[in-house]
Amino acid sequence: MSEGAMSIADRYEPAAVEARWYPEWEKRGYFHTEADRPGPAYCIVIPPPNVTGSLHMGHALVNTLQDIMIRMKRMDGFNTLWMPGTDHAGIATQYMVERQLASEGRTKEDLGRAAFQARVWRWKEQYGGTIIRQLRRLGASCDWQRERFTMDEGLSRAVRETFVRLYDEGLIYRDDYIVNWCPRCQTVLADLEVEREERDAEFVYITYGPLVLGTVRPETKLGDTGLAVHPGDARYTQYVGQTLDIPSVDGNILVKVVADEAVDPDFGTGVIKVTPGHDPVDFEIGRRHGLPVRTVIGFDGKMTAAAGKYAGLDRFECRKKIVEDMQALGLIDRIEPYRHAVGLCYRCKTVVEPLVSKQWYVQVKPLADAADAAVHDGRITILPPHWAKVFHQWMENIRPWCISRQLWWGHRIPVWYCDADEKVFVSRTDLGACPSCGGALRQDEDVLDTWFSSGLWPFSTLGWPDDTPELRTFYPTAVLITGYDILLFWVVRMAMLGLHLVGEVPFRDVYLHTLVRDPEGQKMSKTKGNVVDPLDLLDKYGTDALRFMLASMVLPGARDIRISEERLEGARNFANKLWNAARLVLSNLEGYDPRAGAAAADSVTDRWIRRRLAITVAEVRDALERYRFNDAASVLYQFVWSDYCDWYLEIAKRSLYRPESPAARQATQITLVTVLEETLRLLHPLMPFITEEIWQRLPHEGDSIMVASYPTAVVLPTDEAVDRFVALAMGAVSAIRNIRGEMRISPGTTLSVTIRPTAADAAVLAEHRTLIEALGRAAIVVDPAATRPKGSALGIVGASELFVDLAGVIDVGAERQRLQKEIKRVGDAMGFTRTKLGRPEFVERAPADIVDKEREKLAEHEALHAKLIASLGWLSE
RNA sequence: AGGCUCGUAGCUCAGUGGGAGAGCGCCUCUCUGACGCAGAGGAGGUCGGCGGUUCGAAACCGCCCGAGCCUACCA
């Protein structure tokens, strides 16, 4: 196996490795599972990306995290299912296809509903698979055989079932209510779909007969059906209940003055105009006081016939015009600059128009209460915990959910109207004729909010409403991993609907990751031009590097992560480091024999690296269980780079190149291979490709690292020999290197070193003399009776002293400086500890073990300090 | 308006009750038979400010300053 090893490239080349292994894994069926496979179930449903989407950094992150958990659990013997799929994304997709049509000079109306839908489906077949292909490049081990789409047959059935059930329970109803209307998208928007943005505006004070009031929307004056003041406002009590006949832009109008708590007497003049047709607050006031609704702005954003001479004008042009007209008529008292928040459509950023229209709603309050309770009592755990507060707040103040949308792409509302007998039918199946009169039926024109179907995702993808083996096995799912930005859109809906419809929470844990930003902390957006395409990064640095970088940056916290190519370079370098470590191992396997090696006793260095690995395994497992991806990554990084490469490989080279005996060489080979092999398994969930590639080249058991076992944490009994080795042998190497560095001596120079050990340290230092010589590049004499040679630098190892002979080379000034610095450092620490121990309250009240530790520390410092002072004196002679 | 989060080395960030850490950058030395995408050494911090709790605070509490996010019907 060594012949091949020599031909391995000295840099890790990800492209070929990734192209080879992913199809192989998929072909062998490693991603797929069945409900009846052995092992406890572990299921994650993917947050379904929009079919319109292509992979961005957010996807790269969320899917890397899911894949890490899935791969870890799969290796750990769980029956693991990662359910993939895409979302039809109503508005987004329709918008996309409409734009395509526009480029052909056509509108969706030209095509008609059926042809337009067919066109969208065609678009979906053509482009909808993009993101799914890209997820494969990420290494995502989804069960692609089970891929779903929110508008496929099964999920459509789940949607209808849900609608009918909720309707039958009286939780779905239709209402004339004021809604957020997007004049561009021609659809209603849920409150959550309206974005707020601060904008400068004019605050126009208008004279209403004897009263003056301020408004930012003078054009809605035409829809005024009343004026309102606060009930306790003494200035205006005389007008309450009166109907005023006042001059306006189009002759006189009649407005009733009402008293309502919603009015803030301290804002403006304390009087407001009530426009129930175009303002949510006014709508409520109007309902309370029986004021009529007058719609003066239409669904197209233009003034309606009810606006009289302004009919047909755009609402913003009308605003200008009406102010001019009022000014001419002397109806404007004054105009002040004003800054306030306007509502924008989350899709197209058009200013939303509040309008009264008939829409379908879900009364979600009872469902919200149940979901709220599930989080309170721990059936659902939200991480990081502070998001639970946001969740509760939302649930406590939840309002009816408007679910109808005036789109053509989506789940059409399963409601049919009979015009003959004015009956309404809600049905699981399509209805042809009126069940009561046999007359013609027409189906509701609207479709459902996209989130209505994605809210069913965790169970609809498992076969609900049927009682399938998948549903029984994999529901509730283990964890939902998603960004905090869709907590309220998506997570709350799944929690509510899952509990209500299936009777059990949809997921045990919700892990909300932070968002990905550019290196300056800016949100990535196409308009800013700061979008980083993960595919470019995958090409440039490799999938494993990107995954490792993302994992190392994400932790359950509040801070968004900033990706940068420098961080990515670090991850790529790490992959390369691992690659080269493997090259070293692979090229030194002549004579490798696991049985012969097993007979040989482990050396202390072998025991040391195994202990370090055992600790690393425990830490990585713990970190992943707690979704501390950054901890897992940094622990692995540290182990591979510092422990395995910097120390162990350097130590192992001695017995590889100049072995004391063939058995010692074989024992080292065994450790090299087995530790590396286990490390690869531990690292595999984070870096699937490189670990598989190396693992296949190493001596191993099994077909693939993907289906090998995940390393198990073991607690090893204490090993004093290892502890002494670390403190003395490794300590001596560090001390020599430290002096070399400080004295600026070339690494090529072999140093002459005398070690004067204490009685306790003598044997260990003598035992590891050659190792210290090799790693410290020194010729060493261990002599308990040694005297410090003239012109030498002093190093401290444990309680022993180490003299580096620098006669002729030494820079006495530099050495003296170094010593003085060291003395100061130790002295400061000593002083601090002494002061602490000198305070009676510390000794009396601190825990005994802490006090003991402080005493030991002080003793050590004092001894060291004395030694250093003596040494300085010697140097000055 | 309410709520949440953050302020630690030049930069990006870990650390949440017992003497400040990582990566990158910087400085010095090395071309050593896995790797220069490398090796060895080093410099650099009154942990935003002020109070409090504690034997002990970067960490816990309060206030202030600064940055950001979410939710909200102040026209």
Side-chain angles (χ1 to χ4, degrees):
Chain A
M1 57 189 61
S2 56
E3 310 87 62
M6 296 313 288
S7 65
I8 306 176
D10 62 0
R11 287 213 184 157
Y12 173 58
E13 303 291 349
V17 172
E18 292 165 18
R20 179 160 66 252
W21 285 114
Y22 195 90
E24 187 62 26
W25 291 331
E26 195 172 358
K27 196 181 86 193
R28 294 190 199 171
Y30 293 157
F31 302 160
H32 178 67
T33 196
E34 296 290 344
D36 59 5
R37 294 267 179 90
Y42 186 90
C43 178
I44 296 179
V45 291
I46 202 169
N50 291 352
V51 277
T52 53
S54 57
L55 195 75
H56 62 236
M57 271 302 166
H59 295 127
L61 173 64
V62 71
N63 291 299
T64 293
L65 301 185
Q66 290 171 91
D67 198 44
I68 289 171
M69 296 309 291
I70 284 286
R71 283 181 185 268
M72 194 259 281
K73 292 293 180 179
R74 187 184 291 119
M75 291 174 76
D76 217 12
F78 286 76
N79 183 13
T80 309
L81 170 61
W82 186 8
M83 176 68 75
T86 49
D87 193 290
H88 67 279
I91 292 190
T93 311
Q94 175 159 332
Y95 189 47
M96 207 85 142
V97 177
E98 276 186 83
R99 251 192 357 211
Q100 205 182 45
L101 280 176
S103 72
E104 302 164 13
R106 293 195 290 175
T107 65
K108 68 177 195 294
E109 283 75 18
D110 295 340
L111 271 68
R113 186 164 190 145
F116 179 76
Q117 281 177 336
R119 173 87 184 226
V120 182
W121 274 108
R122 221 169 343 121
W123 186 94
K124 188 253 173 192
E125 298 311 324
Q126 202 172 346
Y127 302 106
T130 306
I131 191 147
I132 295 301
R133 282 193 301 278
Q134 290 169 333
L135 285 177
R136 286 177 158 91
R137 274 230 45 202
L138 245 200
S141 59
C142 300
D143 189 347
W144 298 115
Q145 296 177 39
R146 297 182 181 275
E147 183 185 339
R148 303 303 296 268
F149 177 57
T150 49
M151 274 174 69
D152 68 25
E153 204 188 325
L155 270 63
S156 299
R157 203 158 63 85
V159 164
R160 286 223 174 159
E161 177 69 24
T162 303
F163 191 96
V164 173
R165 273 204 213 175
L166 294 178
Y167 181 84
D168 289 345
E169 293 171 69
L171 293 171
I172 283 185
Y173 60 95
R174 208 174 180 215
D175 195 13
D176 268 309
Y177 199 80
I178 192 144
V179 296
N180 312 292
W181 182 266
C182 175
R184 203 227 58 88
C185 297
Q186 286 292 300
T187 184
V188 66
L189 299 170
D191 294 337
L192 263 176
E193 292 167 337
V194 177
E195 287 177 3
R196 301 278 157 181
E197 191 179 291
E198 289 273 313
R199 287 202 180 163
D200 288 314
E202 287 182 336
F203 203 53
V204 183
Y205 285 88
I206 307 171
T207 306
Y208 274 72
L211 303 173
V212 173
L213 60 83
T215 179
V216 288
R217 300 205 60 194
E219 74 279 13
T220 63
K221 173 183 175 57
L222 301 163
D224 289 351
T225 53
L227 297 177
V229 297
H230 193 269
D233 196 335
R235 291 173 294 178
Y236 305 117
T237 37
Q238 52 169 316
Y239 299 107
V240 173
Q242 288 188 27
T243 298
L244 303 176
D245 183 0
I246 56 175
S248 187
V249 282
D250 223 356
N252 276 28
I253 57 168
L254 294 174
V255 285
K256 189 180 173 192
V257 181
V258 300
D260 196 284
E261 297 280 348
V263 181
D264 178 358
D266 298 325
F267 188 85
T269 60
V271 184
I272 64 168
K273 57 201 264 317
V274 184
T275 320
H278 297 287
D279 186 282
V281 179
D282 294 8
F283 182 82
E284 295 288 350
I285 294 175
R287 275 208 169 175
R288 284 195 285 271
H289 301 279
L291 300 174
V293 170
R294 186 189 296 159
T295 301
V296 292
I297 301 171
F299 293 115
D300 54 1
K302 295 195 167 101
M303 306 310 288
T304 64
K309 65 178 182 182
Y310 300 96
L313 266 186
D314 174 81
R315 54 190 166 148
F316 298 114
E317 286 169 25
C318 178
R319 181 179 300 175
K320 275 184 224 155
K321 186 75 171 60
I322 205 165
V323 170
E324 284 167 19
D325 290 354
M326 284 192 289
Q327 242 151 359
L329 292 167
L331 295 174
I332 303 281
D333 183 76
R334 62 187 189 278
I335 296 176
E336 292 172 355
Y338 187 65
R339 194 167 171 77
H340 72 138
V342 296
L344 305 178
C345 170
Y346 79 123
R347 270 293 145 208
C348 68
K349 315 297 176 197
T350 301
V351 176
V352 164
E353 184 60 46
L355 275 172
V356 175
S357 73
K358 189 168 271 193
Q359 303 290 342
W360 288 95
Y361 292 87
V362 182
Q363 177 47 268
V364 279
K365 188 60 183 159
L367 315 200
D369 290 342
D372 203 29
V375 172
H376 272 300
D377 64 27
R379 276 174 292 154
I380 296 175
T381 303
I382 295 181
L383 295 166
H386 74 258
W387 287 111
K389 214 176 273 180
V390 176
F391 180 91
H392 291 312
Q393 232 165 43
W394 183 256
M395 288 312 208
E396 283 156 20
N397 302 306
I398 200 159
R399 290 187 295 173
W401 173 18
C402 178
I403 51 169
S404 44
R405 295 290 183 278
Q406 288 65 50
L407 303 172
W408 284 358
W409 177 242
H411 294 282
R412 194 154 171 188
I413 290 177
V415 175
W416 285 263
Y417 306 97
C418 176
D419 292 325
D421 57 14
E422 295 191 334
K423 282 192 172 143
V424 174
F425 302 96
V426 174
S427 169
R428 287 175 177 84
T429 54
D430 285 356
L431 295 182
C434 176
S436 69
C437 75
L441 286 176
R442 92 195 135 71
Q443 187 175 3
D444 196 296
E445 293 292 321
D446 293 350
V447 301
L448 289 164
D449 180 6
T450 296
W451 299 105
F452 191 89
S453 52
S454 42
L456 312 175
W457 188 249
F459 41 98
S460 62
T461 53
L462 293 171
W464 188 89
D466 295 333
D467 184 21
T468 60
E470 283 81 3
L471 191 65
R472 282 197 299 269
T473 304
F474 296 111
Y475 193 92
T477 65
V479 58
L480 179 81
I481 301 181
T482 191
Y484 65 74
D485 53 331
I486 53 174
L487 169 66
L488 302 180
F489 280 100
W490 191 43
V491 181
V492 298
R493 269 82 183 253
M494 286 188 288
M496 293 191 297
L497 293 169
L499 273 162
H500 188 75
L501 297 167
V502 191
E504 176 58 281
V505 296
F507 24 69
R508 305 283 185 205
D509 291 346
V510 176
Y511 175 79
L512 297 166
H513 64 76
T514 53
L515 304 185
V516 182
R517 293 172 182 276
D518 77 359
E520 277 71 49
Q522 300 288 311
K523 229 174 205 162
M524 292 191 194
S525 74
K526 281 178 190 153
T527 48
K528 277 185 208 153
N530 62 346
V531 177
V532 180
D533 186 346
L535 292 171
D536 294 341
L537 299 179
L538 289 176
D539 289 340
K540 196 167 165 193
Y541 297 96
T543 297
D544 290 326
L546 182 70
R547 289 173 59 120
F548 191 82
M549 185 272 286
L550 290 170
S552 71
M553 296 191 77
V554 68
L555 77 157
R559 225 195 291 233
D560 286 343
I561 60 178
R562 304 183 183 190
I563 60 119
S564 71
E565 293 215 21
E566 279 136 34
R567 269 310 264 270
L568 196 48
E569 274 176 28
R572 179 208 51 193
N573 295 354
F574 177 62
N576 194 54
K577 190 73 183 174
L578 183 67
W579 183 253
N580 275 291
R583 283 211 313 144
L584 177 68
V585 173
L586 289 168
S587 58
N588 285 285
L589 290 186
E590 299 92 347
Y592 177 77
D593 180 356
R595 285 156 309 164
D602 270 349
S603 68
V604 69
T605 52
D606 292 341
R607 301 210 301 280
W608 167 75
I609 193 68
R610 287 187 196 287
R611 298 181 76 78
R612 285 290 309 128
L613 177 59
I615 292 164
T616 303
V617 168
E619 288 178 348
V620 169
R621 270 187 174 274
D622 179 62
L624 290 181
E625 289 295 344
R626 295 162 55 206
Y627 309 105
R628 309 254 340 169
F629 299 99
N630 66 321
D631 285 348
S634 83
V635 162
L636 278 160
Y637 184 94
Q638 149 82 24
F639 175 76
V640 169
W641 205 305
S642 306
D643 294 327
Y644 191 73
C645 293
D646 289 344
W647 281 104
Y648 188 73
L649 291 185
E650 293 306 318
I651 292 168
K653 281 176 185 172
R654 299 173 61 242
S655 85
L656 249 23
Y657 300 153
R658 280 173 287 279
E660 289 166 22
S661 68
R665 183 166 193 274
Q666 283 181 321
T668 298
Q669 286 175 326
I670 300 277
T671 307
L672 280 170
V673 168
T674 55
V675 170
L676 179 57
E677 191 273 342
E678 188 169 338
T679 304
L680 292 170
R681 280 185 282 127
L682 193 63
L683 188 54
H684 177 262
L686 285 81
M687 305 181 97
F689 292 106
I690 190 175
T691 51
E692 176 78 296
E693 180 69 19
I694 298 172
W695 190 83
Q696 293 285 349
R697 292 169 185 247
L698 276 181
H700 65 269
E701 280 174 31
D703 297 327
S704 165
I705 195 171
M706 249 198 87
V707 290
S709 67
Y710 204 63
T712 316
V714 289
V715 179
L716 297 173
T718 54
D719 188 333
E720 283 178 25
V722 168
D723 295 344
R724 282 197 301 270
F725 169 78
V726 171
L728 298 175
M730 293 171 81
V733 171
S734 295
I736 293 167
R737 286 173 172 174
N738 179 274
I739 288 164
R740 184 193 296 276
E742 289 283 350
M743 298 291 126
R744 308 198 171 171
I745 299 160
S746 156
T749 311
T750 299
L751 296 168
S752 246
V753 176
T754 307
I755 298 178
R756 182 165 64 198
T758 62
D761 297 348
V764 176
L765 285 165
E767 181 193 343
H768 296 292
R769 185 179 58 82
T770 55
L771 185 145
I772 300 167
E773 286 183 327
L775 298 195
R777 287 236 161 191
I780 292 176
V781 175
V782 179
D783 178 7
T787 52
R788 182 172 176 185
K790 276 269 184 216
S792 66
L794 174 75
I796 305 288
V797 181
S800 305
E801 290 160 306
L802 175 153
F803 313 120
V804 179
D805 191 349
L806 298 169
V809 199
I810 189 174
D811 177 345
V812 177
E815 170 67 356
R816 190 181 293 136
Q817 251 176 25
R818 194 179 72 84
L819 274 172
Q820 274 164 348
K821 224 165 25 178
E822 188 68 17
I823 287 165
K824 185 176 183 314
R825 189 182 302 170
V826 174
D828 286 350
M830 191 171 68
F832 194 89
T833 311
R834 198 177 272 153
T835 313
K836 197 176 194 176
L837 284 165
R839 291 215 317 277
E841 59 271 26
F842 172 71
V843 181
E844 282 160 24
R845 303 176 70 165
D849 57 319
I850 298 283
V851 178
D852 286 347
K853 240 164 71 184
E854 291 296 326
R855 288 214 173 94
E856 278 170 38
K857 230 187 288 179
L858 180 61
E860 271 173 38
H861 282 143
E862 279 173 339
L864 194 54
H865 197 245
K867 231 175 236 185
L868 290 166
I869 298 258
S871 175
L872 186 67
W874 174 90
L875 198 66
S876 308
E877 279 170 11

